[in-house]
């Protein structure tokens, strides 16, 4: 008998898009958007979904609580989980950038004060360009930091550019392009390779990933 595939989906818009891709591929689950329940399964489709906080998806997958999951490349680079990266899903596209108030100039006599949620990505980026920084770790609303003089620049994600524009910030450097990735637990992938490969094949047919 085929095993159920346990899937960690990021709560929110990206997770809903991903679920729809899975549903089109024949892995639908009734009532998945109803109420506050976090676990849904369809025995017929052989799949069980968990809605989890986006930055927690790699933890569930790395530790095998989920066989596969979907996480942004930003989260994978920041936390470097020990998982397989199976596919670029081609959705959730955005950019990791350095942004600052208009008119900002970098004074290399002082460490650059960088506010970000992505401490490792920011540190790696500035190490690669040889710039000393003072990291200020925040958990959200990063754009406010340079406005209040807490930081000189921010390292953050930009999708439409609206948040930067409405807070009078502009992009100074592009660090990298980001998109959503399908990841798998290493031993889970080996143990359920038949089921997971069948899912990948169907996703490939319906979503052209
Ligand atoms: C993300 C990101 C930016 C915003 C970019 O924040 O950190 O603030 O989206 O999107 P835009 O270019 O389309 O305006 P998120 O909504 O995740 O909230 P956060 O403040 O908690 O980081």
């Amino acid at each position: 008998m085929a095993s159920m595939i346990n899937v960690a989906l990021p709560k929110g818009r990206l997770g809903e898009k991903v679920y729809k891709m899975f549903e089109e591929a024949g892995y639908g689950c009734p009532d998945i958007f109803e109420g506050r329940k976090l676990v849904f399964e369809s025995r017929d489709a052989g799949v069980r979904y968990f809605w989890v906080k986006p930055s927690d998806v790699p933890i569930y997958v790395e530790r095998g609580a989920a066989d596969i999951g979907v996480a942004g490349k930003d989260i994978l680079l920041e936390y470097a989980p020990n998982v397989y990266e199976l596919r670029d899903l081609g959705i959730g596209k955005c950019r990791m950038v350095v942004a600052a108030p208009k008119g900002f100039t970098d004074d290399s006599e002082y460490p650059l004060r960088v506010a970000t949620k992505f401490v490792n990505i920011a540190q790696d980026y500035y190490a690669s360009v040889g710039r000393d920084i003072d990291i200020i770790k925040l958990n959200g609303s990063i754009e406010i930091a340079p406005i209040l003089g807490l930081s000189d620049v921010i390292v953050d994600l930009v999708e439409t550019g609206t948040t930067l524009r409405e807070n009078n910030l502009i992009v100074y450097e592009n660090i990298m392009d980001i998109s959503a990735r399908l990841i798998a637990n290493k031993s889970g992938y080996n143990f359920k390779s038949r089921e997971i490969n069948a899912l990948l094949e169907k996703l490939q047919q319906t979503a052209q990933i």
Side-chain angles (χ1 to χ4, degrees):
M1 203 186 97
S3 311
M4 298 278 278
I5 307 176
N6 295 305
V7 187
L9 288 177
K11 254 193 271 181
R13 220 159 22 110
L14 175 66
E16 287 168 21
K17 260 194 190 170
V18 172
Y19 169 74
K20 290 200 172 122
M21 286 169 79
F22 280 59
E23 187 181 42
E24 291 229 318
Y27 292 82
C29 227
D31 306 327
I32 191 155
F33 296 125
E34 300 298 315
R36 308 276 297 171
K37 228 175 102 172
L38 298 171
V39 181
F40 291 86
E41 70 173 44
S42 163
R43 294 219 154 257
D44 295 341
V47 73
R48 185 182 294 123
Y49 293 104
F50 316 127
W51 291 112
V52 308
K53 195 175 150 87
S55 54
D56 289 342
V57 167
I59 302 172
Y60 284 87
V61 174
E62 183 177 40
R63 290 179 170 264
D67 302 306
I68 60 173
V70 174
K73 185 69 181 171
D74 51 322
I75 289 168
L76 299 177
L77 287 168
E78 184 61 26
Y79 299 107
N82 184 17
V83 295
Y84 290 135
E85 197 177 307
L86 298 179
R87 288 283 193 288
D88 183 342
L89 294 177
I91 57 171
K93 287 189 179 173
C94 53
R95 288 179 299 151
M96 185 69 71
V97 305
V98 178
K102 283 178 197 147
F104 159 77
T105 49
D106 188 355
D107 182 348
S108 58
E109 262 185 55
Y110 300 98
L112 184 69
R113 295 172 307 152
V114 181
T116 188
K117 269 195 284 199
F118 302 98
V119 168
N120 293 322
I121 291 176
Q123 275 167 341
D124 288 352
Y125 171 70
Y126 282 106
S128 78
V129 296
R131 179 74 175 94
D132 271 351
I133 59 168
D134 173 14
I135 279 275
I136 301 156
K137 160 91 166 107
L138 296 176
N139 297 299
S141 301
I142 315 297
E143 291 83 357
I144 209 165
I147 297 173
L148 299 181
L150 177 66
S151 74
D152 301 309
V153 301
I154 62 172
V155 166
D156 201 14
L157 292 171
V158 179
E159 190 184 353
T160 61
T162 310
T163 314
L164 289 186
R165 215 166 26 251
E166 294 193 356
N167 291 288
N168 298 313
L169 302 174
I170 57 171
V171 172
Y172 271 80
E173 306 285 347
N174 280 303
I175 300 181
M176 67 185 79
D177 290 336
I178 301 291
S179 57
R181 307 296 161 100
L182 187 65
I183 58 174
N185 173 268
K186 288 190 168 172
S187 52
Y189 181 66
N190 295 331
F191 186 61
K192 297 186 186 174
S193 58
R194 195 161 48 91
E195 292 83 353
I196 295 173
N197 286 330
L199 174 116
L200 282 176
E201 230 165 82
K202 290 202 187 112
L203 276 175
Q204 212 154 344
Q205 288 158 11
T206 53
Q208 276 93 45
I209 58 153

